[in-house]
Amino acid sequence: MPAGASRRLAAARALALATHPGPTVAVTTVATVMGISAGLPAGRAALLCAAVLAGQASIGWSNDWLDADRDRAVARPDKPVVQGAVTPGTLRRAALLAAGTAVVLSLLLGLVPGLLLLLLVASGWAYNAGLKRTVWSGAGYVVGFGALPAGVVAAAPGEAAAPWWLVAAGAALGAAAHLANVAPDLEDDLATGVRGLPHRLGARRSAVSGALLLAAASLVLVLGPAGDPTASGWVALALAAPAAAVAALSGTPRFRELAFPAVMLLTVLDVVLLVAGGATLT
């Protein structure tokens, strides 16, 4: 491969990694599948997917741009900007371009759904810009992930308002995601002056709080909709209860390896229930 093409490929790979591809793909996939379950036609579902993807990419790029100095100070090996594979200036330009794209694509879905989807983007940027350093660090996750299902439902045919239980479950999942997302970086964050809510709670209390939030989301998603819970809903709760108990141990080094699969199980259960909740609105 020519040297120029190799450099461009390396730069593209670095940019892709700087989007935080795990969370970006997960959020985009959940939003898209929920939209399809809620009855979005193929064209609008594709537009929703592109809008959410652009917004999530902008959040990831802005995070690595704004945190470049902090990440270099602790020599984060997972950050392309620390490795010199991409510059903060490039990340800034990419973040702003993606944010502008997210605005356009989101508003093409309509004013109400567009504004709700952009609330997630704004919350992510606010977190990156400084909210993460305060006791209110979880607010961006709660607001943003509460707004996401509301925006998806608003984009669906009929423009129905999302029920309270769907928004509440999204907010609980967002708060749990915040606690889980920060957990691996607690020491690095403290070393560079970041003291958000998880840092103030500590690893053990954050783990217990995250497990309780995931369990609460399960309860709300199963018991919130009108009518009796389905058989699959009861099965989900039966799985969620012991998983939450084990997940609460993730802040204890001795049980961390055992707790991680429990956290993943709870998260998957809640995501499936969230998507199924969107389907009940059609």
Side-chain angles (χ1 to χ4, degrees), residues 164-165 216-230 233-234 237 273:
W164 69 269
W165 50 267
S218 300
L219 282 171
V220 169
L221 286 166
V222 172
L223 303 179
D228 295 329
T230 63
W234 287 120
L237 288 182
L273 290 170

Side-chain angles (χ1 to χ4, degrees), residues 231-279:
S232 59
W234 287 120
V235 170
L237 288 182
L239 292 171
V246 176
L249 300 173
S250 63
T252 306
R254 181 179 175 185
F255 297 100
R256 190 166 293 159
E257 289 186 6
L258 180 64
F260 182 75
V263 172
M264 292 299 99
L265 174 60
L266 273 171
T267 303
V268 170
L269 279 174
D270 286 341
V271 167
V272 170
L273 290 170
L274 190 69
V275 171

Side-chain angles (χ1 to χ4, degrees), residues 27 34 56 112-113 115-121 123-124 138-154 161-177 274:
V27 172
M34 188 188 304
Q56 290 300 297
V112 173
L115 291 177
L116 288 168
L117 294 174
L118 290 173
L119 188 53
L120 172 60
V121 180
S123 296
Y141 281 80
V142 171
V143 172
F145 283 91
L148 178 60
V152 172
V153 172
W164 69 269
W165 50 267
L166 200 59
V167 175
L173 278 170
L274 190 69

Side-chain angles (χ1 to χ4, degrees), residues 4-282:
S6 179
R7 284 195 298 271
R8 287 192 293 272
L9 182 61
R13 182 176 181 275
L15 273 175
L17 289 174
T19 63
H20 300 200
T24 291
V25 171
V27 172
T28 302
T29 301
V30 170
T32 304
V33 174
M34 188 188 304
I36 294 170
S37 299
L40 260 69
R44 283 180 71 78
L47 181 58
L48 171 69
C49 177
V52 175
L53 179 60
Q56 290 300 297
S58 80
I59 293 171
W61 282 326
S62 70
N63 179 275
D64 279 19
W65 154 41
L66 295 170
D67 280 356
D69 290 339
R70 288 183 53 251
D71 291 337
R72 286 168 175 163
V74 294
R76 287 280 298 270
D78 57 327
K79 297 289 189 176
V81 70
V82 175
Q83 301 164 1
V86 66
T87 67
T90 298
L91 291 171
R92 181 183 67 249
R93 290 189 293 273
L96 293 173
L97 178 60
T101 302
V103 170
V104 173
L105 295 178
S106 297
L107 292 177
L108 284 175
L109 288 164
L111 182 61
V112 173
L115 291 177
L116 288 168
L117 294 174
L118 290 173
L119 188 53
L120 172 60
V121 180
S123 296
W125 275 73
Y127 177 83
N128 292 338
L131 195 61
K132 67 167 71 177
R133 297 178 176 83
T134 75
V135 70
W136 300 104
S137 60
Y141 281 80
V142 171
V143 172
F145 283 91
L148 178 60
V152 172
V153 172
E159 299 185 353
W164 69 269
W165 50 267
L166 200 59
V167 175
L173 278 170
H178 171 48
L179 295 170
N181 186 52
V182 172
D185 304 323
L186 282 176
E187 293 184 4
D188 285 349
D189 286 345
L190 288 172
T192 53
V194 174
R195 292 191 72 248
L197 181 60
H199 309 86
R200 299 163 196 255
L201 290 175
R204 291 189 180 183
R205 283 188 288 180
S206 291
V208 172
S209 299
L212 290 175
L213 285 164
L214 288 170
S218 300
L219 282 171
V220 169
L221 286 166
V222 172
L223 303 179
D228 295 329
T230 63
S232 59
W234 287 120
V235 170
L237 288 182
L239 292 171
V246 176
L249 300 173
S250 63
T252 306
R254 181 179 175 185
F255 297 100
R256 190 166 293 159
E257 289 186 6
L258 180 64
F260 182 75
V263 172
M264 292 299 99
L265 174 60
L266 273 171
T267 303
V268 170
L269 279 174
D270 286 341
V271 167
V272 170
L273 290 170
L274 190 69
V275 171
T280 64
L281 303 177
T282 58

